[in-house]
Amino acid sequence: MPAPALTLESLNAMAPEAFVAALGEVFEHAAWVAEAAAPGRPYATVAALHEAMIRAVRTAPPDRQQAFIAGHPELGSRFMRADWTDASQAEQGSLGLDRLSADEFAAFTRMNEAYRTKFGVPFIICVRRHTRDSLLTQFERRLANDSAAERERTLTEIGLITRLRLNALVDGPGRPITEGRLSTHVLDMVTGRPAAGIPVTLHEIGATARGLIAQALTNADGRTDRPLIAGEPLRIGTYELTFRVGDYYGGAGTPFLDVVPIRFAIAEPEAHYHVPLLMTPWSYTTYRGS
Amino acid sequence: MPAPALTLESLNAMAPEAFVAALGEVFEHAAWVAEAAAPGRPYATVAALHEAMIRAVRTAPPDRQQAFIAGHPELGSRFMRADWTDASQAEQGSLGLDRLSADEFAAFTRMNEAYRTKFGVPFIICVRRHTRDSLLTQFERRLANDSAAERERTLTEIGLITRLRLNALVDGPGRPITEGRLSTHVLDMVTGRPAAGIPVTLHEIGATARGLIAQALTNADGRTDRPLIAGEPLRIGTYELTFRVGDYYGGAGTPFLDVVPIRFAIAEPEAHYHVPLLMTPWSYTTYRGS
Amino acid sequence: MPAPALTLESLNAMAPEAFVAALGEVFEHAAWVAEAAAPGRPYATVAALHEAMIRAVRTAPPDRQQAFIAGHPELGSRFMRADWTDASQAEQGSLGLDRLSADEFAAFTRMNEAYRTKFGVPFIICVRRHTRDSLLTQFERRLANDSAAERERTLTEIGLITRLRLNALVDGPGRPITEGRLSTHVLDMVTGRPAAGIPVTLHEIGATARGLIAQALTNADGRTDRPLIAGEPLRIGTYELTFRVGDYYGGAGTPFLDVVPIRFAIAEPEAHYHVPLLMTPWSYTTYRGS
Amino acid sequence: MPAPALTLESLNAMAPEAFVAALGEVFEHAAWVAEAAAPGRPYATVAALHEAMIRAVRTAPPDRQQAFIAGHPELGSRFMRADWTDASQAEQGSLGLDRLSADEFAAFTRMNEAYRTKFGVPFIICVRRHTRDSLLTQFERRLANDSAAERERTLTEIGLITRLRLNALVDGPGRPITEGRLSTHVLDMVTGRPAAGIPVTLHEIGATARGLIAQALTNADGRTDRPLIAGEPLRIGTYELTFRVGDYYGGAGTPFLDVVPIRFAIAEPEAHYHVPLLMTPWSYTTYRGS
C-alpha cells in the first residue's frame, strides 16, 4: 500500500472546493458526498471523516441514492470503460477479474445480468476482501436476498470499498481502520528455540487453481521479517502455508517430515490470523494463535 | 494378498520332486535352490525355509550364482518376454512399470544399460518396496557402488523379493515375516472422544504425479476399519494423508480447518507407521505414533 | 482381583439348594434373591444371572424390599459388627473407612444419622467406585433427594455392588461386566519412538491428602507392563500422573522439564481412561486418548 | 525495582569527587573502583560505565584485588554487622537468608567456613540469581574449584552483583542490561481465541518447601497484565505454573481437567521464558516459547 498523498490536517484546512476535488472520487461519481461532509470539518480521525461521508449516502433522498448505486461499474467487465474511476479499475484488477477466461467471463456476465434484472442496479462488492471463489459464493447468496436486505448489504459494501480508498488517499489519526494480517512462527521443540531459515510459502487454494501469494525465510526469531499479508484486508478464501522443514533437521536418510502443509480458511478479512508451527522431526502442532 | 495355495505342513511332507516343482520358481529359473533346500526339511517356520533357500544362493559356486543373477529380467522392460516368470511380471506391474511413458521408458532403458555395462548383470531390486521415485534414486545410488558392494546389495534384494513370493505361496508358522502397516486414528479434543465419520484419503506423492492409494471413513473408535496399508511392504516414498474435518464440526460459516493434509515419508517398508490426528476446530497435532 | 471360585457352568448345573448356598450372600442377608433366580437357569452369561437377581429385588413386595435395604450395614462404622457379611467388610476396608480419624468418623456418623432420620434406612453406596472425597459429595447430594428418587438410586447402587460381588465369585461368559482401566503411553518426539525407562507414578489427590496408588517404568513400547489400574472400577476422584523425564534426555545442566505432572479427574468408574504423553525436552502434549 | 535516583547524564557531568561519592558503594567498600572510572567519562551507556569499573577491579594489583574480595560479607550471616553496605543487606534479604532456621544457618555456616579455609576469602555470589536450592548447589560445586578457577568465578559474580546495583542506581541508555522475564499465554482451542479469566499461580518448588511467587488472572488477550516475573534476574531453580481451567469450560459434572500444573526449571536468569498453554477440556500442549 503506497503512502497516501494527503493528510487529514490539510483536508481539514482546505477550502471546500479543494476538499471536494480531493475526495470527490472516493465515492464513485458522487462529488455530492464530499460536499455534504465538508461543513462537518475539522474531523479528529480519518475514520470520523469516513463515517460522515457514509452518513451522507445513507441519508440521501432515495432517487439520489439509487442513481449513485446505479453509477457503479459492473463486476467482471473485461472492457475498459472510459467512465470508470481509476480506483475502481485498480480494485478489480487486483483480483484478476480483467483476465477471466471466456467461460468465467460468461458466468460473471450471467450473474451480473440476473442481478441487474432482479435489483435494477449493478452488483457492488468490496472485491479486495474476496478471492474469486468467495466472490461467486457471495453473488449466489445475494441474488437470493429481497430488495431491502440487498440495499442494506450494498451500502455496507460501499462503506468497505470507500474506507479502503480513503485509507489509501489520506494519512492521519484513525488510519488504517483495522486491516487484516497473516503471520506465522516456527518453534523447534528439539532445542526449545525459534527455528531459523525455514522456507515458508503461502498459496491461495482456489476451486480450480492454486496461486502463490508470498514466500519468505524464517529469521532468528522463527518469524518472517514481514507478516505474510499485512496492511490490507485478507481475502476470504482457502489458503495453504507450507514449511520446508526437511533440511532443517538434516541428518542422513529421508526425513519423516519434509514439506509440512497447513490448509486453513480465512473468514474475517480485517482480523489477525497467526498460524504457528511447533515442530520436531516426527511431529507438529499448529493452531490459530493470537 | 490372496490366500496362499500351499501349507508348510504339506511342503514338509512332499516327495522331493514335488517340493521342487512347488517352489522351483520362487527363485527365478533356479530349481536348484529348492533342490538344495529339500533335504533340510522339515522346517519349523516359513521364515526358516526361506533362510535355507537364501543360504543355498549365497553358498553357490560363483559361476552358478552369477548365472542366476544374470537370469533376472530387466526392470522396466515394456515387452512381455516369454521367458519371464509369472511372479516377476506381477511385481513389476504393481508399480506400473509396464505403463511407462516413452520418456520414462527411455530413462529406465538408459539406466539399465549403464548398469549392465558396469556390472554385467541386470539391475535387481524388490520393486514392491519402492515407489517410482525411490526406484530411480536407488538406481543412481547403486550405479555408484563397486562390484563387491553391489553383489551384496543384489543378494539382499533377492532375499527381499523371494521372501515375499514365499509368503504369497505358502501358509504356516512364521508367515508373514514382518510386513509393513500404515494406520491412523482421529481424536476430537473438544469432546475427548474418537472422531467418527471423518473421510480419510491416502495419496502417494510422486515427483510429477499424485496417486490415490486408499480412502476410508473413520469408525466409532476414530480408526479406519482396516489399516490404510497392511500385509505387504510399504513402498519407500512420500505420502499425504488428508482428513476432511470441516463437516465434522459443522456449524454456520466456513470452518477454519476443512481439509487437513499430512505429508510424510516412509523409509522402512516393513515398519508400522501410525499417524494420528488430535484435532479441534482451530488446531491439530500429528506425530509418528506406535 | 483373585480368580473366582465358581463357574457359571457349575452354577447352572447345581441343585437349587446348593445354588442358593453358593450365591446367598451376594445380596446382603437375602437368600430369597438367589431362590428367585434359581428357576431361571441355565443363564448364558454372568451378566444375565445378575440381571435376574436384580429383577427379583426390584419386583419384591415393598415390605421385603424395605427390610432388605434396611439390613445393610452403615457406611463408616468402625465397629466390626458380627452380623456383617464378609463381602461388605472387604469393600469398606478398601477405602480405608475403618481407619477414619475421630473427626472424620464423627462426620460420617452425622451424615449416617441424618440419612437414617430422613429415609429410615442406612446409606448404601458402591464404595469401590469412590474416593473418600467423592463419597462425601454423594452423601450430601443424596440427602437432598426425595424418597422415590433415593429409593431408585439405592437400588442402582445395590446393582453396582452385587455386580462386583458376582464377578468376584463366578467365572464364565459375560464376566467381567465392563470394568475401568487407566493406562498411559509415552512417546519421544525427538526420535519418533516410544520412550522406555520413564518412571511413572499415580497418586490420588484428596482434599487433604495425597495417596500413592501405582508406580511403574515404561517399557520398550512406551507403556507400563500392566495398566496403572485395571480389573476393578476406577474410583471417582482427582488423580495425578507424574512422569520423571529429566534423566531420559540426560545431557549436561538442569533440564527444562524434569517431573511432568498431569492432573485429571475420573468421573466414569467403568470407562477406559488413556492418558498419553507426547514429549520433547522442551514441550509436551497430553490428552484423553482411547 | 524502584526508579533509579541518578542519571548517566548527571554522572558524566559531575566533579570527580561527587562521582566517587555517588558510585563508591556499588563496589563493596572500594571507592578506588569509582575513582579509576572517573577519568574515562563521558560514558555512552550505563553498560559501558559498568565495564570500565569491572576493568578497574580486574586490572588492580593482586593485593588490592584480594583485599577487595576479602571485604565482602559472608553469605547467610544472620548478624547485622554494622560494616555491611546497605546494598549487600538488601540482596541477601531477598532470598530470605536472614530467616534461616537453626539447621540451615548451621549448614551455611559450615559451608562458609569450609570455603574460607580453602580460599581465604568469603564466598561471593549474586544471590538475586538464585533460589536457596541452587545456592547450595553452587556452594558445593565451587568448593571443588581450584584457586584460579574460583578467583575467575568470583570476579564474574562481582560483575553480576554490581551490574544489578548500577542498574538500580543509574538511569540512562544501556539500562537495564538484559534482565529475565517469565510470561505465559493461554489459548482456548475450542474457540480459537485467547482464554480470559483463567487464574494463574507461580510457585517456586524448593527441595523442602513451596513458595508462592505470583498470581494473576489472564486478560482478554489470554496473557497476564504484567509478566509473572520481570525487570530482575530469574532465580535459577524449579517452578510450577498452575492454571485453574475447570471453571472456564463450566458445564455440568466434574471436568476432566481442573488444575493444570506445569513444572519446569529456569537455568538462565537473564533469559525470557515464555510458557504458553494451548488447551481444550480434554487436552493441552505446553512448550518453551519465545
Side-chain angles (χ1 to χ4, degrees):
Chain A
M1 193 177 274
L6 289 166
T7 65
L8 181 59
E9 199 177 18
S10 66
L11 281 172
N12 277 332
M14 280 176 185
E17 297 73 25
F19 176 83
V20 171
L23 298 188
E25 287 304 300
V26 168
F27 285 69
E28 204 93 2
H29 303 294
W32 56 267
V33 178
E35 277 159 21
R41 293 179 298 164
Y43 293 102
T45 62
V46 179
L49 166 58
H50 182 248
E51 206 178 319
M53 294 177 88
I54 283 290
R55 203 179 313 118
V57 174
R58 286 190 169 270
T59 58
D63 283 4
R64 173 166 258 193
Q65 201 184 65
Q66 172 75 7
F68 165 64
I69 291 173
H72 281 71
E74 224 142 59
L75 189 72
S77 166
R78 66 167 14 151
F79 310 110
M80 290 298 143
R81 298 199 326 220
D83 54 349
W84 280 21
T85 65
D86 279 353
S88 193
Q89 285 181 43
E91 280 160 21
Q92 298 207 359
S94 66
L95 187 73
L97 289 187
D98 53 351
R99 283 165 310 195
L100 294 174
S101 70
D103 277 2
E104 289 168 326
F105 180 67
F108 270 107
T109 303
R110 251 193 332 273
M111 294 268 212
N112 272 329
E113 275 163 19
Y115 188 94
R116 181 177 287 277
T117 301
K118 177 161 183 187
F119 297 112
V121 291
F123 177 73
I124 299 177
I125 191 166
C126 180
V127 293
R128 285 166 63 187
R129 301 172 79 248
H130 290 278
T131 56
R132 193 176 295 188
D133 290 350
S134 69
L135 203 59
L136 283 169
T137 305
Q138 285 299 310
F139 232 139
E140 280 167 26
R141 276 195 206 149
R142 287 174 54 186
L143 267 167
N145 278 347
D146 63 26
S147 289
E150 183 53 22
R151 168 63 50 106
E152 181 52 37
R153 182 74 223 162
T154 295
L155 292 174
T156 297
E157 292 290 334
I158 287 171
L160 292 165
I161 292 167
T162 53
R163 181 182 66 78
L164 290 170
R165 288 184 185 170
L166 205 63
N167 276 341
L169 202 60
V170 183
D171 204 1
R175 175 193 170 274
I177 308 162
T178 320
E179 301 293 0
R181 190 152 51 102
L182 173 63
S183 58
T184 188
H185 192 192
V186 187
L187 288 166
D188 172 11
M189 293 294 104
V190 175
T191 61
R193 304 279 312 143
I198 305 283
V200 180
T201 61
L202 176 68
H203 285 86
E204 181 192 328
I205 308 293
T208 57
R210 185 181 168 91
L212 179 66
I213 292 179
Q215 46 189 340
L217 280 184
T218 56
N219 57 25
D221 192 32
R223 303 176 194 268
T224 56
D225 286 342
R226 272 178 301 278
L228 294 160
I229 307 177
E232 52 184 320
L234 303 173
R235 293 177 185 277
I236 292 169
T238 301
Y239 295 82
E240 193 173 275
L241 272 169
T242 58
F243 301 85
R244 185 168 285 274
V245 307
D247 293 342
Y248 178 84
Y249 286 115
T254 307
F256 179 64
L257 297 175
D258 182 18
V259 172
V260 171
I262 299 178
R263 195 172 292 196
F264 58 94
I266 285 178
E268 301 171 78
E270 286 80 22
H272 177 199
Y273 283 76
H274 184 55
V275 184
L277 181 69
L278 312 179
M279 69 172 187
T280 78
W282 301 93
S283 68
Y284 57 91
T285 293
T286 189
Y287 56 96
R288 176 158 185 200
S290 79
Chain B
M1 192 177 273
L6 289 166
T7 65
L8 181 59
E9 199 176 19
S10 65
L11 281 173
N12 276 333
M14 278 176 185
E17 298 73 25
F19 177 82
V20 171
L23 299 188
E25 287 303 299
V26 169
F27 284 71
E28 203 95 0
H29 301 294
W32 57 267
V33 178
E35 278 160 19
R41 295 179 296 162
Y43 292 102
T45 63
V46 179
L49 166 59
H50 182 248
E51 207 178 318
M53 295 178 87
I54 283 292
R55 204 179 312 118
V57 174
R58 287 193 168 269
T59 58
D63 282 6
R64 173 165 259 193
Q65 200 183 67
Q66 173 73 9
F68 165 65
I69 291 174
H72 280 70
E74 225 142 57
L75 189 72
S77 166
R78 62 164 22 149
F79 309 109
M80 290 297 144
R81 294 196 333 216
D83 55 347
W84 280 21
T85 64
D86 279 353
S88 194
Q89 286 179 41
E91 280 160 20
Q92 297 207 0
S94 67
L95 188 73
L97 289 186
D98 54 350
R99 283 165 311 192
L100 294 174
S101 71
D103 278 2
E104 288 168 327
F105 181 66
F108 271 107
T109 302
R110 254 195 326 276
M111 293 267 212
N112 272 329
E113 276 162 17
Y115 188 94
R116 180 177 287 279
T117 301
K118 177 161 182 186
F119 297 112
V121 291
F123 176 73
I124 298 177
I125 191 165
C126 180
V127 293
R128 284 165 63 188
R129 299 172 80 248
H130 290 278
T131 55
R132 193 177 293 190
D133 289 350
S134 70
L135 204 59
L136 284 169
T137 306
Q138 285 300 309
F139 233 139
E140 280 168 28
R141 276 196 206 149
R142 286 175 55 185
L143 268 167
N145 277 347
D146 62 26
S147 289
E150 184 52 23
R151 167 64 49 105
E152 181 51 36
R153 182 74 223 163
T154 295
L155 292 174
T156 297
E157 292 290 334
I158 287 171
L160 292 165
I161 292 167
T162 53
R163 182 181 66 78
L164 290 171
R165 288 183 184 170
L166 205 62
N167 276 342
L169 202 59
V170 183
D171 203 0
R175 173 191 169 278
I177 308 161
T178 321
E179 303 291 1
R181 192 150 51 102
L182 173 62
S183 58
T184 189
H185 192 189
V186 187
L187 288 166
D188 172 11
M189 293 293 106
V190 174
T191 61
R193 304 280 313 144
I198 305 283
V200 180
T201 61
L202 176 69
H203 285 86
E204 181 192 327
I205 308 294
T208 57
R210 184 182 169 90
L212 178 66
I213 293 179
Q215 46 189 341
L217 279 185
T218 56
N219 57 26
D221 192 33
R223 304 177 194 267
T224 55
D225 286 341
R226 274 178 299 277
L228 293 160
I229 307 177
E232 52 184 322
L234 303 174
R235 294 177 183 278
I236 293 169
T238 301
Y239 295 82
E240 193 172 276
L241 271 169
T242 57
F243 301 85
R244 187 168 284 274
V245 307
D247 293 341
Y248 178 83
Y249 286 116
T254 308
F256 180 62
L257 298 174
D258 181 17
V259 173
V260 171
I262 300 178
R263 197 172 291 198
F264 59 94
I266 284 179
E268 302 170 77
E270 285 80 21
H272 178 198
Y273 284 76
H274 185 56
V275 183
L277 181 69
L278 312 179
M279 68 172 189
T280 79
W282 300 94
S283 68
Y284 57 91
T285 293
T286 189
Y287 57 97
R288 176 157 184 201
S290 78
Chain C
M1 192 176 276
L6 289 167
T7 64
L8 181 59
E9 201 177 16
S10 66
L11 282 173
N12 277 333
M14 279 175 184
E17 297 71 26
F19 177 83
V20 171
L23 298 187
E25 288 303 300
V26 169
F27 284 71
E28 203 94 4
H29 302 293
W32 57 267
V33 178
E35 278 159 22
R41 292 181 298 164
Y43 292 102
T45 63
V46 179
L49 166 60
H50 182 249
E51 205 178 319
M53 295 177 86
I54 283 291
R55 204 179 313 119
V57 175
R58 287 191 169 270
T59 58
D63 283 4
R64 172 164 260 194
Q65 200 182 68
Q66 173 74 7
F68 165 66
I69 290 174
H72 280 70
E74 224 142 58
L75 189 72
S77 166
R78 61 164 22 150
F79 309 110
M80 290 297 144
R81 299 203 322 226
D83 54 349
W84 280 23
T85 63
D86 280 353
S88 194
Q89 286 180 43
E91 280 160 19
Q92 296 207 2
S94 67
L95 187 74
L97 289 186
D98 53 352
R99 284 164 311 196
L100 294 174
S101 71
D103 278 2
E104 287 168 326
F105 180 67
F108 271 106
T109 303
R110 252 194 329 275
M111 294 268 210
N112 272 330
E113 276 163 17
Y115 188 93
R116 181 178 287 276
T117 302
K118 176 160 184 188
F119 297 112
V121 290
F123 177 71
I124 299 177
I125 191 166
C126 180
V127 292
R128 285 166 64 188
R129 301 172 79 248
H130 289 278
T131 56
R132 193 175 296 189
D133 290 351
S134 69
L135 204 59
L136 283 169
T137 306
Q138 284 300 310
F139 233 139
E140 281 167 27
R141 275 196 207 148
R142 287 174 52 185
L143 268 168
N145 277 347
D146 63 26
S147 290
E150 184 52 22
R151 168 65 48 107
E152 181 52 37
R153 181 74 223 161
T154 296
L155 292 174
T156 297
E157 292 291 333
I158 287 171
L160 293 164
I161 293 167
T162 52
R163 182 181 65 79
L164 290 170
R165 289 184 184 169
L166 205 63
N167 277 340
L169 202 59
V170 183
D171 204 0
R175 175 192 169 273
I177 308 163
T178 320
E179 301 292 1
R181 191 151 51 102
L182 173 62
S183 58
T184 189
H185 191 192
V186 187
L187 288 166
D188 172 10
M189 293 294 105
V190 175
T191 61
R193 306 277 315 141
I198 305 283
V200 180
T201 62
L202 176 68
H203 284 85
E204 181 190 326
I205 308 294
T208 58
R210 186 181 167 91
L212 179 65
I213 293 180
Q215 46 189 339
L217 280 184
T218 56
N219 57 25
D221 192 33
R223 303 177 194 267
T224 54
D225 286 342
R226 272 178 300 279
L228 294 160
I229 307 178
E232 52 185 321
L234 304 172
R235 292 176 186 278
I236 292 170
T238 301
Y239 295 83
E240 192 173 274
L241 271 169
T242 57
F243 301 86
R244 187 167 284 274
V245 306
D247 293 341
Y248 178 84
Y249 286 116
T254 307
F256 179 63
L257 298 175
D258 182 18
V259 173
V260 171
I262 299 178
R263 196 172 293 196
F264 59 94
I266 284 179
E268 302 171 77
E270 286 79 21
H272 177 198
Y273 283 77
H274 184 56
V275 183
L277 182 69
L278 312 179
M279 69 171 187
T280 79
W282 301 92
S283 68
Y284 57 90
T285 292
T286 189
Y287 57 96
R288 176 157 185 201
S290 78
Chain D
M1 194 176 271
L6 288 167
T7 64
L8 181 59
E9 199 177 19
S10 66
L11 282 173
N12 277 333
M14 279 176 184
E17 298 72 26
F19 177 82
V20 171
L23 297 189
E25 287 304 299
V26 168
F27 284 70
E28 203 95 358
H29 302 292
W32 56 268
V33 177
E35 279 160 20
R41 294 180 298 163
Y43 293 101
T45 63
V46 179
L49 166 59
H50 182 248
E51 206 177 319
M53 295 177 87
I54 283 291
R55 204 179 311 119
V57 174
R58 289 193 167 270
T59 59
D63 283 4
R64 173 165 259 194
Q65 202 184 66
Q66 173 74 8
F68 165 65
I69 290 173
H72 280 70
E74 225 141 57
L75 190 71
S77 166
R78 64 167 18 151
F79 311 109
M80 289 298 144
R81 298 201 327 222
D83 54 348
W84 279 21
T85 64
D86 280 353
S88 194
Q89 285 179 43
E91 281 159 21
Q92 296 206 1
S94 67
L95 188 73
L97 289 186
D98 54 351
R99 283 165 312 191
L100 294 174
S101 71
D103 278 1
E104 289 168 328
F105 180 66
F108 270 107
T109 303
R110 253 194 328 275
M111 293 268 213
N112 271 330
E113 276 163 18
Y115 188 94
R116 180 177 288 278
T117 302
K118 176 161 182 186
F119 297 113
V121 291
F123 176 73
I124 299 176
I125 191 165
C126 180
V127 293
R128 284 166 63 189
R129 299 172 79 248
H130 290 277
T131 56
R132 193 177 295 189
D133 289 349
S134 71
L135 205 58
L136 283 170
T137 305
Q138 284 300 308
F139 233 139
E140 281 168 28
R141 276 195 206 150
R142 286 176 53 185
L143 268 168
N145 277 348
D146 63 26
S147 289
E150 184 52 23
R151 168 64 48 107
E152 181 51 38
R153 182 72 224 163
T154 295
L155 293 174
T156 297
E157 292 290 334
I158 288 171
L160 292 165
I161 292 166
T162 53
R163 181 181 66 78
L164 290 170
R165 289 184 183 168
L166 206 62
N167 276 342
L169 203 58
V170 184
D171 203 0
R175 173 190 169 280
I177 308 161
T178 321
E179 302 292 1
R181 191 151 51 101
L182 173 62
S183 58
T184 188
H185 192 191
V186 187
L187 288 167
D188 172 11
M189 293 294 106
V190 175
T191 61
R193 305 279 313 143
I198 305 283
V200 180
T201 62
L202 176 69
H203 285 86
E204 181 192 326
I205 308 295
T208 57
R210 183 182 170 90
L212 179 65
I213 294 179
Q215 46 190 342
L217 280 185
T218 57
N219 57 26
D221 193 33
R223 304 177 193 268
T224 55
D225 286 342
R226 273 177 300 278
L228 293 160
I229 307 177
E232 52 183 321
L234 304 173
R235 294 177 184 278
I236 292 169
T238 301
Y239 295 82
E240 192 173 275
L241 272 170
T242 58
F243 301 86
R244 187 168 283 274
V245 307
D247 293 341
Y248 178 84
Y249 287 116
T254 307
F256 179 64
L257 298 174
D258 181 18
V259 173
V260 171
I262 299 178
R263 196 172 292 197
F264 58 93
I266 284 179
E268 302 171 78
E270 286 80 21
H272 177 198
Y273 284 76
H274 184 56
V275 183
L277 181 69
L278 313 179
M279 68 172 187
T280 79
W282 300 95
S283 67
Y284 57 91
T285 292
T286 189
Y287 56 96
R288 176 157 184 201
S290 78

